[in-house]
Amino acid sequence: MTVRVNGLACKNPMLVQANDFLFRGLNMPGNTSNPVGSKVTLVNVAMLPGLNTLGIAMARIDYAPWGLNPPHLHPRATEIFTLIEGSVLVGFVTSNPENRLISKILQKGDVFVFPKGLVHFQQNLGHGHAMAISGLSSQNPGIVTVANAVFKSNPDISSEVLTKAFQVDKHIIDQLQSKF
Amino acid sequence: MTVRVNGLACKNPMLVQANDFLFRGLNMPGNTSNPVGSKVTLVNVAMLPGLNTLGIAMARIDYAPWGLNPPHLHPRATEIFTLIEGSVLVGFVTSNPENRLISKILQKGDVFVFPKGLVHFQQNLGHGHAMAISGLSSQNPGIVTVANAVFKSNPDISSEVLTKAFQVDKHIIDQLQSKF
Amino acid sequence: MTVRVNGLACKNPMLVQANDFLFRGLNMPGNTSNPVGSKVTLVNVAMLPGLNTLGIAMARIDYAPWGLNPPHLHPRATEIFTLIEGSVLVGFVTSNPENRLISKILQKGDVFVFPKGLVHFQQNLGHGHAMAISGLSSQNPGIVTVANAVFKSNPDISSEVLTKAFQVDKHIIDQLQSKF
Amino acid sequence: MTVRVNGLACKNPMLVQANDFLFRGLNMPGNTSNPVGSKVTLVNVAMLPGLNTLGIAMARIDYAPWGLNPPHLHPRATEIFTLIEGSVLVGFVTSNPENRLISKILQKGDVFVFPKGLVHFQQNLGHGHAMAISGLSSQNPGIVTVANAVFKSNPDISSEVLTKAFQVDKHIIDQLQSKF
Amino acid sequence: MTVRVNGLACKNPMLVQANDFLFRGLNMPGNTSNPVGSKVTLVNVAMLPGLNTLGIAMARIDYAPWGLNPPHLHPRATEIFTLIEGSVLVGFVTSNPENRLISKILQKGDVFVFPKGLVHFQQNLGHGHAMAISGLSSQNPGIVTVANAVFKSNPDISSEVLTKAFQVDKHIIDQLQSKF
Amino acid sequence: MTVRVNGLACKNPMLVQANDFLFRGLNMPGNTSNPVGSKVTLVNVAMLPGLNTLGIAMARIDYAPWGLNPPHLHPRATEIFTLIEGSVLVGFVTSNPENRLISKILQKGDVFVFPKGLVHFQQNLGHGHAMAISGLSSQNPGIVTVANAVFKSNPDISSEVLTKAFQVDKHIIDQLQSKF
């Protein structure tokens, strides 16, 4: 049995090795052959044990042409994002009651912030691949993709809840919930 | 100009009065005459200045018969919820990749936890009104209602982003975005 | 042997169940047949494991007619309190050197704040029962009742310390320390 | 008007001087000519502005022969205490329901811990002066002396509350509340 | 006069714009024409106001051939570092008494962690330029370059202190302190 | 195998004893018979288990005549320092780019602050012994002595790195790295 303490226990400091602080392969493009055309490669404490208790993680995001990192949020982290290649539209939405969409088209070298717990997305605006690197303010930031959490959970949220929440007919919810 | 410090500045401790620590009226049922049939009355630092820097807030939630507090999240708080009247279905969804729906039917006197930043909802399962009281672990927890943040933001998230994110046709997104 | 980490270790997230986030019975009035005529039912991480690491707890407080929740404090939490039934006098005292009593008579629906670590109390001002619900900003807030900590500890604080601290004769301390 | 941010605002870092990080005179014995025969000299952010945001403070405690630092607590800090001169009895009381008195006689050079928010005291056990130095885990730890908060507040807590809380007659509370 | 609160005050949330969350130009190589042959471009709350209170920052580090980001530390942040181009030797040193050098040669795509407050460095091992992106766990992480803090401060630390600290003759300290 | 959680696990609160909160012997002068003529005696959670999770530690620093506590930093703590005996020069250096030396000559009874993660030192300015007591804002503050971390690590940082970092010839680095 593994002891779990807000995720993971620490190793004896006398026994740590350089490899405990190393993760390899973030130069490898993520596989974007999926319906949304994007892939997040997250380096958190599960992949890089040396992050434990230190409050930070990193991610690489790849985008096929017109690929989308769909609306999602990090329940325990703010994200600072820099575009390495391509041109992407980014946005986040503020909380109730304003629900302002704060949005920008980013070029290579632009840095943008997605505050903790707010819904955000990025979309590749170009014919080529795009790629970004992010820092996240937790060793275990978590990712909640809105479409998955709301329409593809296990088990499903009842269509009764969802028709009322989104004020649409059940056949629309059925389509949103259909698993491809 | 008001100085803002993670929300609000503190008052001189010599000048605080009992009224700075008081909010009145949480016994008044919220108005549930709206499409979802529920109303959240949030007592945060904006309504109760004495909460500043103290990391807690409170809410009352009212439900009309079959009323729904639709899928939403608090970007800066965990919520502990107790049902005072009625019978409600509650649930939250864990983060990727499992997206487990953790769900329960609550009766009067049951207490449930919605962890920080996770999507959750409550639905009244009865013919009568239901009512709950919650504590939230921030003086400014924020509320992000998924339907508002994703389909009713100002301005709208483009339908191009949303059709891809939810893998449905534009006419479905149009319906989800239509403002009543 | 149980591993203890600021209280409790976490469960494997794959194995958590809805019951880990549920506590039942907060609708049951606490037994107020005791000398002070009040009862606190605290729902902390020991009763509700899903609270672990999440920084919040809840309590129900019952008051017999004229019952008192005697002067006490929470060493690790601020309390936000709402009166559900009855009419109660509440107060807290600020720290040295002012020791201001910040006090208010609350009616049903009033919300009040007791800042972290300050001595506070509530007294039922009516002939009927009173009841309140509180949120506390820690999963393990702790309760230090002044009378217990100072006059009923195990073993006793010496009467020499207490006569000097409270500037009264030993026979008075003896009465304060007498266990009923 | 001074801006207050959890106490105090920060100075422009370009303008800070060595004096902002300096407090003089902790070698001066505090005046112990008072009923309890002890004096706490607290160096917090109000006396030493360079402490702002840094989460630490210091205190010197002087004890006349048999002098007592009466039961008190720090609402926002743990205290680490070392005895420089003399011999003192120290103790703290754990929270409900155990209310264990954790106590020890300290000699010169002993170090003891008083956990955040718990009631604690120190009494000089000797014919000479005693002196201690403490570190506290907040730049604004606060001091709540139990006798002051409970029996000498401004205004008084009603004797009705106190007779019930301490289960003694009103004439005893009158004596405890009498201001010398 | 600007109000400073652990750095900076917040803007009215109603007035924030997308530009408050944007910094441009991290694609521009830093100027490495300096004695160490490296340049850190730090994007902290001073350059990107939207980072305020959010606990994260980002940096780009450029290295000329054989260029060195000399031994330094971040007083308020852990750094997660990924190499985008080139091959670099990285290392950090643990605290007393072990002072272990934890070191690794990184290739493109490798991710490494430099824990909060520990001395670390990176050296380009190749004939070409190298470039890295880092996330840092504070909106105001700070950089303390050891050579600057110890041998190039304003005013100088006395050579008496430094000869004793480093156990070398004054002429060696003179050379270390000489400003080029 | 010991479970490690940011250092150490907690003991069952029912089993803690007064000795868990006690460390003896801080009145004993540290042995200053070493090249720098000073000795730090640190009381952290490894010596005093009751400090666990409480965010504070204490140290005694002894100085032989002209003894030096050489430039060092605490990666996880601010230090508040008071001089008990003697006269010492103290200083800390601010971060890049100013690298201001903030310095003061302290007499008995002076209190000074060394902010978290900044390089600082103290030097005895007198013919007699000097002694100080410090509080540190972590139960495990850590000590990074610059000379040890940079010139005496295990294994050594390469002289190539150090000659470039300090802009001096290799023979100077050789002297700095020579172990006595």
Side-chain angles (χ1 to χ4, degrees):
Chain A
M1 194 202 72
T2 308
V3 176
R4 287 160 191 281
V5 181
N6 201 4
L8 292 164
C10 286
K11 205 168 166 176
N12 182 335
M14 297 306 174
L15 302 179
V16 298
Q17 303 293 339
N19 284 341
D20 293 318
F21 297 89
L22 177 68
F23 172 89
R24 295 212 132 127
L26 207 62
N27 59 320
M28 303 300 287
N31 180 354
T32 60
S33 298
N34 56 52
V36 292
S38 78
K39 179 71 181 179
V40 175
T41 307
L42 178 62
V43 185
N44 66 12
V45 68
M47 287 89 181
L48 189 38
L51 289 174
N52 208 14
T53 79
L54 293 176
I56 198 154
M58 184 170 262
R60 170 190 174 123
I61 310 108
D62 287 281
Y63 310 85
W66 314 105
L68 174 73
N69 186 3
H72 68 282
L73 61 100
H74 306 292
R76 292 175 294 275
T78 291
E79 178 175 357
I80 186 167
F81 172 101
T82 190
L83 192 62
I84 304 290
E85 285 296 332
S87 171
V88 303
L89 170 71
V90 301
F92 68 84
V93 182
T94 66
S95 50
N96 294 349
E98 290 82 13
N99 300 120
R100 292 175 60 199
L101 172 62
I102 305 284
S103 162
K104 205 79 192 176
I105 294 173
L106 302 189
Q107 310 300 341
K108 201 171 148 167
D110 289 354
V111 180
F112 205 76
V113 184
F114 304 113
K116 190 187 288 198
L118 298 187
V119 172
H120 59 285
F121 63 91
Q122 306 107 26
Q123 184 181 28
N124 185 353
L125 295 184
H127 293 282
H129 277 77
M131 195 270 275
I133 296 286
S134 288
L136 297 118
S137 64
S138 165
Q139 70 265 18
N140 184 18
I143 303 178
V144 171
T145 299
V146 173
N148 295 350
V150 177
F151 299 116
K152 317 274 181 190
S153 65
N154 303 301
D156 274 344
I157 297 177
S158 78
S159 57
E160 205 178 325
V161 164
L162 296 177
T163 51
K164 186 164 277 187
F166 293 93
Q167 297 284 304
V168 291
D169 291 343
K170 182 171 181 308
H171 73 93
I172 288 185
I173 296 301
D174 287 347
Q175 291 200 252
L176 289 158
Q177 289 190 321
S178 67
K179 300 212 169 69
F180 19 90
Chain B
M1 194 201 72
T2 308
V3 176
R4 288 161 190 282
V5 181
N6 202 4
L8 292 163
C10 287
K11 205 167 166 177
N12 183 334
M14 297 305 173
L15 303 179
V16 297
Q17 303 292 341
N19 284 340
D20 293 318
F21 297 90
L22 177 68
F23 172 89
R24 295 212 133 127
L26 206 62
N27 59 320
M28 303 300 288
N31 180 353
T32 60
S33 298
N34 56 51
V36 291
S38 78
K39 178 70 179 179
V40 176
T41 306
L42 178 62
V43 185
N44 66 11
V45 68
M47 287 87 181
L48 188 38
L51 289 174
N52 209 14
T53 79
L54 293 176
I56 198 154
M58 184 170 262
R60 170 190 173 124
I61 310 108
D62 287 281
Y63 309 85
W66 312 106
L68 175 72
N69 186 3
H72 67 283
L73 60 100
H74 307 290
R76 293 175 293 275
T78 291
E79 177 175 357
I80 186 167
F81 172 102
T82 191
L83 192 62
I84 304 289
E85 285 295 332
S87 170
V88 304
L89 170 71
V90 302
F92 68 85
V93 182
T94 67
S95 51
N96 295 348
E98 290 82 12
N99 301 119
R100 292 175 61 199
L101 172 63
I102 305 284
S103 163
K104 205 80 191 175
I105 294 173
L106 302 189
Q107 309 300 341
K108 202 171 148 167
D110 288 355
V111 180
F112 205 76
V113 184
F114 304 113
K116 192 187 287 200
L118 297 188
V119 173
H120 59 285
F121 63 91
Q122 305 106 27
Q123 186 182 27
N124 185 353
L125 294 184
H127 293 281
H129 277 76
M131 195 269 277
I133 296 286
S134 287
L136 297 119
S137 65
S138 164
Q139 70 264 18
N140 183 19
I143 304 177
V144 172
T145 300
V146 172
N148 294 351
V150 178
F151 299 116
K152 317 275 183 191
S153 65
N154 302 300
D156 274 344
I157 297 177
S158 77
S159 56
E160 205 177 324
V161 164
L162 296 177
T163 51
K164 185 165 277 186
F166 293 92
Q167 298 284 305
V168 290
D169 290 344
K170 182 171 181 307
H171 73 93
I172 288 185
I173 296 301
D174 288 347
Q175 291 199 253
L176 288 158
Q177 289 189 321
S178 68
K179 299 208 170 69
F180 19 89
Chain C
M1 193 202 71
T2 308
V3 176
R4 287 159 191 281
V5 181
N6 201 6
L8 292 163
C10 286
K11 205 167 167 177
N12 182 335
M14 296 306 174
L15 302 179
V16 296
Q17 303 293 339
N19 284 340
D20 294 318
F21 297 90
L22 176 68
F23 172 90
R24 295 212 133 129
L26 207 61
N27 59 320
M28 303 300 287
N31 180 354
T32 59
S33 298
N34 56 51
V36 292
S38 78
K39 178 70 179 178
V40 176
T41 307
L42 178 62
V43 185
N44 66 12
V45 67
M47 287 87 181
L48 189 38
L51 289 174
N52 208 16
T53 79
L54 293 177
I56 197 154
M58 185 170 261
R60 170 190 173 123
I61 310 107
D62 287 281
Y63 309 85
W66 313 106
L68 174 72
N69 187 3
H72 67 284
L73 61 99
H74 306 290
R76 293 174 293 276
T78 290
E79 177 176 357
I80 187 167
F81 172 101
T82 190
L83 191 62
I84 303 290
E85 284 296 331
S87 171
V88 304
L89 170 71
V90 301
F92 69 85
V93 182
T94 66
S95 51
N96 296 348
E98 289 81 13
N99 301 119
R100 292 175 61 200
L101 172 62
I102 305 284
S103 163
K104 206 78 193 178
I105 294 174
L106 302 190
Q107 309 299 341
K108 202 171 148 166
D110 288 355
V111 180
F112 205 77
V113 184
F114 303 113
K116 190 187 289 200
L118 297 188
V119 173
H120 59 285
F121 63 91
Q122 305 106 27
Q123 184 182 27
N124 185 353
L125 295 184
H127 293 281
H129 276 77
M131 195 269 275
I133 296 287
S134 288
L136 297 118
S137 64
S138 165
Q139 70 264 16
N140 184 19
I143 303 178
V144 172
T145 299
V146 172
N148 295 350
V150 177
F151 299 115
K152 317 275 182 191
S153 64
N154 302 301
D156 274 344
I157 298 177
S158 77
S159 57
E160 205 178 324
V161 164
L162 296 177
T163 51
K164 186 165 277 186
F166 293 92
Q167 297 284 304
V168 291
D169 291 345
K170 183 170 181 307
H171 73 93
I172 289 185
I173 296 301
D174 288 347
Q175 291 199 252
L176 289 158
Q177 289 188 322
S178 67
K179 298 209 170 69
F180 17 89
Chain D
M1 195 202 72
T2 309
V3 176
R4 287 160 191 282
V5 181
N6 201 4
L8 292 164
C10 287
K11 206 168 167 176
N12 183 334
M14 296 306 173
L15 302 179
V16 298
Q17 302 293 340
N19 284 340
D20 294 318
F21 297 90
L22 177 68
F23 172 89
R24 295 211 133 128
L26 207 62
N27 59 321
M28 303 301 287
N31 180 354
T32 60
S33 299
N34 55 51
V36 291
S38 78
K39 178 71 180 178
V40 176
T41 307
L42 178 61
V43 185
N44 66 10
V45 68
M47 287 88 181
L48 188 38
L51 289 174
N52 208 17
T53 78
L54 294 175
I56 198 155
M58 184 169 262
R60 170 191 173 123
I61 310 107
D62 288 281
Y63 309 85
W66 312 106
L68 174 73
N69 186 3
H72 68 283
L73 61 99
H74 306 290
R76 293 175 293 275
T78 291
E79 178 175 357
I80 186 168
F81 171 101
T82 191
L83 191 63
I84 304 290
E85 285 295 332
S87 171
V88 303
L89 170 72
V90 302
F92 69 84
V93 182
T94 66
S95 50
N96 296 347
E98 290 82 11
N99 301 119
R100 292 176 60 200
L101 172 63
I102 306 283
S103 162
K104 205 79 192 177
I105 294 173
L106 302 189
Q107 309 299 341
K108 203 171 147 167
D110 288 354
V111 180
F112 205 77
V113 184
F114 304 113
K116 191 187 289 199
L118 297 188
V119 173
H120 59 285
F121 64 91
Q122 305 106 28
Q123 185 181 28
N124 185 353
L125 295 184
H127 292 282
H129 277 76
M131 195 269 277
I133 296 286
S134 288
L136 298 119
S137 64
S138 165
Q139 70 265 17
N140 183 19
I143 304 178
V144 172
T145 299
V146 172
N148 295 350
V150 178
F151 298 116
K152 317 275 183 191
S153 65
N154 301 301
D156 274 344
I157 298 177
S158 77
S159 56
E160 205 178 323
V161 164
L162 296 176
T163 50
K164 186 165 278 186
F166 293 93
Q167 298 283 305
V168 290
D169 290 344
K170 183 172 180 306
H171 72 92
I172 288 185
I173 295 301
D174 287 348
Q175 290 199 253
L176 288 158
Q177 288 189 322
S178 67
K179 299 210 170 69
F180 18 89
Chain E
M1 196 202 72
T2 308
V3 176
R4 288 160 189 282
V5 181
N6 202 4
L8 292 163
C10 286
K11 206 167 166 176
N12 182 335
M14 297 305 173
L15 302 179
V16 297
Q17 302 293 340
N19 284 341
D20 294 318
F21 296 89
L22 177 67
F23 171 89
R24 295 213 132 126
L26 206 63
N27 60 320
M28 303 300 288
N31 180 354
T32 60
S33 298
N34 56 51
V36 292
S38 78
K39 179 69 181 179
V40 175
T41 306
L42 178 61
V43 185
N44 66 13
V45 69
M47 286 89 180
L48 188 39
L51 289 174
N52 209 15
T53 78
L54 293 176
I56 198 153
M58 185 169 262
R60 170 190 174 124
I61 311 108
D62 287 281
Y63 309 85
W66 313 105
L68 174 73
N69 187 4
H72 67 283
L73 61 99
H74 306 291
R76 291 176 294 276
T78 291
E79 178 175 357
I80 186 166
F81 172 102
T82 191
L83 192 62
I84 304 290
E85 285 296 333
S87 171
V88 304
L89 170 71
V90 302
F92 68 85
V93 182
T94 66
S95 51
N96 294 348
E98 291 82 12
N99 301 119
R100 292 176 60 200
L101 173 63
I102 304 284
S103 162
K104 205 79 192 177
I105 294 172
L106 302 189
Q107 309 300 341
K108 202 171 147 166
D110 288 355
V111 180
F112 205 76
V113 184
F114 304 114
K116 191 187 289 199
L118 297 188
V119 173
H120 59 284
F121 63 91
Q122 306 106 28
Q123 185 181 28
N124 185 353
L125 295 184
H127 293 281
H129 277 76
M131 195 270 276
I133 296 286
S134 289
L136 298 118
S137 64
S138 164
Q139 70 265 17
N140 183 19
I143 304 177
V144 171
T145 299
V146 172
N148 295 350
V150 177
F151 299 116
K152 316 275 181 192
S153 65
N154 302 302
D156 274 346
I157 297 177
S158 78
S159 57
E160 205 178 324
V161 164
L162 297 176
T163 51
K164 185 164 277 186
F166 293 93
Q167 297 284 304
V168 291
D169 290 344
K170 182 172 182 306
H171 72 94
I172 287 184
I173 295 301
D174 287 348
Q175 290 199 254
L176 288 158
Q177 289 190 321
S178 67
K179 300 212 169 69
F180 19 89
Chain F
M1 194 203 70
T2 308
V3 176
R4 286 159 190 282
V5 181
N6 202 6
L8 292 164
C10 287
K11 206 168 166 175
N12 182 333
M14 297 304 173
L15 303 179
V16 296
Q17 302 292 340
N19 284 342
D20 293 318
F21 297 90
L22 176 68
F23 172 89
R24 295 213 132 127
L26 206 63
N27 60 320
M28 303 300 288
N31 180 355
T32 60
S33 298
N34 56 51
V36 291
S38 78
K39 179 69 180 180
V40 176
T41 307
L42 179 61
V43 185
N44 66 12
V45 68
M47 288 89 180
L48 188 39
L51 289 174
N52 208 15
T53 79
L54 293 176
I56 198 154
M58 185 170 262
R60 171 190 173 124
I61 311 108
D62 287 280
Y63 310 85
W66 313 106
L68 175 72
N69 186 4
H72 67 282
L73 60 99
H74 307 290
R76 292 175 294 276
T78 291
E79 178 176 357
I80 186 166
F81 172 101
T82 190
L83 192 62
I84 304 289
E85 285 295 332
S87 170
V88 303
L89 171 71
V90 302
F92 69 84
V93 182
T94 67
S95 51
N96 294 347
E98 290 82 12
N99 300 120
R100 292 175 60 199
L101 172 62
I102 305 284
S103 164
K104 205 78 192 177
I105 294 173
L106 302 188
Q107 310 298 341
K108 201 171 148 166
D110 288 354
V111 180
F112 205 75
V113 184
F114 303 113
K116 191 187 286 200
L118 297 188
V119 173
H120 59 284
F121 63 90
Q122 306 105 27
Q123 185 182 28
N124 184 353
L125 294 184
H127 293 280
H129 277 77
M131 195 269 275
I133 296 286
S134 287
L136 297 119
S137 64
S138 164
Q139 70 265 18
N140 183 18
I143 304 177
V144 172
T145 299
V146 172
N148 294 351
V150 178
F151 298 116
K152 317 274 182 192
S153 64
N154 302 302
D156 274 344
I157 298 177
S158 77
S159 57
E160 205 177 322
V161 164
L162 296 176
T163 51
K164 186 165 277 187
F166 293 92
Q167 298 285 305
V168 291
D169 290 344
K170 182 171 182 307
H171 72 92
I172 288 184
I173 296 301
D174 288 347
Q175 290 199 252
L176 288 158
Q177 288 190 321
S178 67
K179 300 211 168 70
F180 19 89

